[in-house]
């Protein structure tokens, strides 16, 4: 069901309008006009569902669900754990989070409950099961929206104990913990588990292993809580499908781990379109990268769970989406594997924090303003493209993105404490490939590399032994591997590898790391080509790794500093494949020509011809999407693209037919 059509929907908060039956009536009528097929219901409705402890009021929701269903609209029913009622926070203080400084929060805000608290779990179970019993078998309910944007951490005593238990389980003994965390350094050996405390500004904040394991634990505990919520529902409705809404570049949860526990990955996307400091193409690529990451966490179609049809109210400046942008962003999501285009929110709230956040229906309640009409256009386009739903993307290139690697690398002191720019590094590879029209997935170190022609490991500082073996096998059996500087430095516990590095890959890459020099912002080192296939010049920055060749052929070399002449780009044949090393972070201009060379004989771009800058081509199954990121029309000969226009083609028997 969730992949049968391209769903069009929004967060719907009728609990804010229970005193206005006329508005609720109008909502259904307007939803039909806008081509809405699904709504996410009751995300923050706990206080209305259970106004007093154990007193449930579900009739209003029953009425809403029945009416939606009668109008042909399906429901993505939320568990309301994201924001708890005041009575609960007051009566049971343990449900409120404790900050790193060990101060317990007051009631307020949202997404700030303790994930460990048995009382919170019990209360969530009770309300979730009320919902499941009453609505779990309602034909309108096709999906469960588990909580909202899980995140954050709690440092209460219950969480400290849970952390210690998690460590016991992971390491088996305290000696193993001490070894893994290298506690001999500064003489911080633990002699009893009870001495271990989560990181604190006034306590331990310098022990890399502890910081890393705390991040692992927080991710684990959040997922554990989510599983608890899921299982409360599945106890009543075993076949219930569940999703969670994930977030942009979110650091605190390993979404690959989380995705294993859900049926549908979804995410909330709020790019600042029309930002004066970057091109719309850059904004689009940044957003596309996240779409592809969310596709990758399950390796199958996802939903764009939230987006604004017009503005947000929490960004520094609220920029409206210009005419055409709503359709552009909807189709971009579909092109990258989304089977749902949903908004936050259906109707603009009247008061409180989000009263100026965009919505399909604004305070004026009209259906003839630009936002509403453009939303209805999206509805029509999604219907027309319905057969795209469920189709998968072809495996072409994979970028290794691994949360634990990020945590470990960013938690370490040096080689560049002013910022390593991990996402920036990833973006350079991603954007170059996307501009060429090569499909990119992301894989973690638990991932499967089969089917890919090209694997890129940017800043894979923490390289697990088992993953190094996967990279070796991948290359030996004919794959093309690209590894950057600052890779293969440390193992799973963030203990540095002894001996030559990049650990496990020196023979694959045909070189070894000698030194790594940090660059200040704006500081660069000139690099020049020694092979005609490379760009003649490029600038290296951020980090400049100095390597000694052990069989690899240099393609570019540094041209200044004491390491002039040492390789900046090198290639090495390995088995049936080849492996490239990029020893520094180059200026952006380097990457497109580099990847054109790398991909030339191994991967086919989405669009057969050449495209002007600003037009992006994306392939999903047999469908090819051309999107114009420019504010001006683009003439492609037989085809013209309007400003922010999209054309969709279907490949049939080798020929392309335009279907939108
Ligand atoms: C999301 C959140 C929504 C809403 C939205 C506003 O992060 O899940 O509830 O607050 O932001 O942009």
């Amino acid at each position: 069901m969730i992949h049968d059509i391209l769903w069009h929907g929004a967060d719907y908060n009728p609990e804010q309008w229970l005193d206005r039956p006329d508005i609720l009536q109008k909502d259904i009528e307007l939803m039909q006009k806008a081509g809405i097929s699904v709504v996410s219901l009751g995300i923050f409705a706990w206080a209305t569902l259970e106004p007093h402890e154990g007193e449930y009021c579900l009739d209003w929701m029953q009425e809403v669900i029945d009416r939606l269903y009668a109008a042909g609209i399906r429901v993505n029913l939320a568990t309301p754990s994201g924001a708890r009622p005041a009575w609960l926070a007051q009566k049971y203080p343990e449900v409120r989070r404790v900050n790193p400084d060990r101060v317990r929060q007051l009631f307020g805000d949202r997404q700030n409950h303790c994930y460990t608290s048995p009382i919170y779990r019990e209360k969530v179970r009770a309300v979730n099961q009320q919902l499941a019993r009453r609505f779990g078998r309602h034909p309108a309910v096709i999906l469960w929206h588990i909580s909202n944007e899980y995140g954050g951490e709690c440092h209460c005593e219950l969480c400290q104990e849970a952390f210690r238990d998690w460590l016991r389980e992971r390491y088996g003994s305290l000696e193993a913990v001490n070894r893994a965390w290298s506690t001999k350094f500064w003489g911080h050996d633990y002699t009893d588990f009870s001495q271990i405390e989560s990181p604190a500004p006034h306590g331990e904040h310098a022990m890399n292993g502890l910081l890393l394991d705390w991040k692992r634990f927080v991710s684990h505990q959040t997922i554990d809580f989510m599983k608890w919520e899921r299982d409360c529902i599945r106890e009543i409705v075993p076949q219930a499908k569940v999703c969670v809404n994930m977030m942009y570049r979110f650091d605190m949860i390993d979404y690959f781990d989380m995705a294993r526990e859900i049926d549908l990955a979804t995410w909330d996307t709020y790019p600042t379109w029309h930002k004066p400091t970057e091109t719309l193409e850059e904004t689009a690529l940044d957003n596309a990268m996240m779409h592809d990451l969310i596709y990758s966490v399950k390796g199958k179609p996802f939903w764009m769970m939230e987006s604004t049809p017009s503005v947000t109210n929490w960004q520094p400046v609220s920029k409206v989406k210009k005419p055409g942008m709503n359709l552009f962003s909807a189709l971009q999501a579909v092109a990258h594997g989304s089977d749902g285009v949903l908004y936050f929110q259906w109707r603009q709230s009247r008061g409180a924090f989000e009263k100026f956040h965009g919505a399909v229906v604004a305070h004026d309640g009209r259906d003839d303003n630009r936002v509403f009409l453009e939303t209805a256009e999206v509805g029509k386009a999604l219907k027309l493209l319905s057969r795209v739903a469920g189709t998968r993307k072809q495996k072409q290139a994979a970028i290794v993105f691994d949360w634990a690697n990020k945590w470990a690398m960013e938690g370490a002191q040096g080689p560049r404490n002013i910022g390593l720019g991990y996402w920036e590094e990833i973006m350079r590879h991603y954007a170059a490939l996307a501009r060429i029209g090569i499909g990119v997935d992301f894989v973690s170190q638990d991932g499967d590399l089969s089917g890919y022609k090209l694997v890129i490991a940017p800043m894979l500082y923490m390289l697990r032994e088992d993953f190094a073996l996967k990279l070796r096998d991948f290359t030996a059996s004919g794959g093309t591997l690209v590894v950057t500087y600052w890779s293969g430095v440390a193992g799973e516990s963030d203990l540095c590898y002894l001996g030559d590095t990049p650990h496990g890959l020196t023979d694959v890459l045909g070189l070894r790391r000698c030194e790594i020099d940090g660059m200040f912002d704006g500081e660069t080192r000139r690099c020049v080509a020694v092979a005609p296939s490379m760009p003649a010049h490029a600038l290296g920055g951020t980090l400049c790794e100095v390597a000694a060749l052990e069989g690899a052929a240099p393609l570019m070399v540094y041209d200044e500093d004491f390491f002039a002449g040492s390789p900046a780009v090198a290639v090495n044949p390995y088995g049936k494949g080849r492996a490239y090393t990029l020893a520094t972070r180059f200026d952006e201009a380097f990457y497109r020509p580099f990847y054109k060379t790398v991909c030339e004989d191994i991967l086919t771009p989405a669009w057969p011809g050449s495209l002007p800058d600003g037009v992006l081509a994306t392939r999903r199954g047999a469908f090819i999407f051309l999107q114009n990121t420019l504010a001006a029309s683009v003439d492609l000969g037989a085809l013209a693209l309007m400003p922010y226009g999209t054309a969709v083609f279907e490949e049939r028997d080798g020929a392309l037919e335009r279907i939108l």
Side-chain angles (χ1 to χ4, degrees), residues 11 44 110-111 148-149 245 268 270 306 312-314 344 354 357:
D11 275 20
F44 297 113
R110 58 176 177 172
Q111 287 133 214
N148 192 63
E149 294 190 340
N245 51 341
D268 302 341
Y270 296 98
E306 289 180 25
T312 67
N313 70 324
W314 49 265
F344 179 86
E354 284 171 339
H357 196 291

Side-chain angles (χ1 to χ4, degrees), residues 180-195:
W181 292 356
S182 211
T183 50
K184 283 280 170 235
F185 182 80
W186 288 349
H188 282 193
D189 312 61
Y190 294 102
T191 53
D192 195 282
F193 268 102
S194 62
Q195 295 155 1

Side-chain angles (χ1 to χ4, degrees), residues 224-296:
D224 187 69
F225 186 88
M226 187 272 291
K227 280 159 61 182
W228 165 265
E229 288 215 55
R230 177 199 66 191
D231 295 345
C232 293
I233 292 160
R234 290 218 177 127
E235 221 174 85
I236 316 277
V237 192
Q239 71 282 10
K241 296 263 183 265
V242 306
C243 70
V244 292
N245 51 341
M246 303 177 178
M247 288 175 277
Y248 175 77
R249 295 190 182 185
F250 192 66
D251 187 62
M252 300 184 89
I253 301 169
D254 182 331
Y255 282 156
F256 282 104
D257 286 346
M258 192 171 227
R260 273 192 283 278
E261 306 297 338
I262 55 176
D263 300 291
L264 176 71
T266 84
W267 80 290
D268 302 341
T269 162
Y270 296 98
T272 310
W273 302 106
H274 319 294
K275 210 187 289 172
T277 49
E278 63 186 30
T279 64
L280 196 114
E281 186 187 39
E282 286 167 340
T283 313
L285 287 169
D286 183 34
N287 199 41
M289 178 174 77
M290 272 308 298
H291 282 318
D292 286 337
L293 176 58
I294 301 298
Y295 179 93
S296 302

Side-chain angles (χ1 to χ4, degrees), residues 86-99:
W87 59 257
L88 177 54
Q90 183 181 42
K91 181 161 175 197
Y92 305 105
E94 75 163 47
V95 307
R96 291 187 260 124
R97 258 180 213 174
V98 170
N99 296 334

Side-chain angles (χ1 to χ4, degrees), residues 12 35 78 106-107 133 140 153 156 193 198 212-213 227 235 256 317 365 368 407 434 483 501 542 597 613 615 648 650:
Y12 185 38
L106 302 175
F107 171 64
R133 268 189 218 103
E153 57 187 35
C156 74
F193 268 102
S198 64
L212 172 62
D213 276 337
K227 280 159 61 182
E235 221 174 85
F256 282 104
V317 174
D368 60 355
W407 295 332
V483 176
T501 56
T542 308
T597 304
D613 274 359
V615 177
V648 185
E650 185 171 8

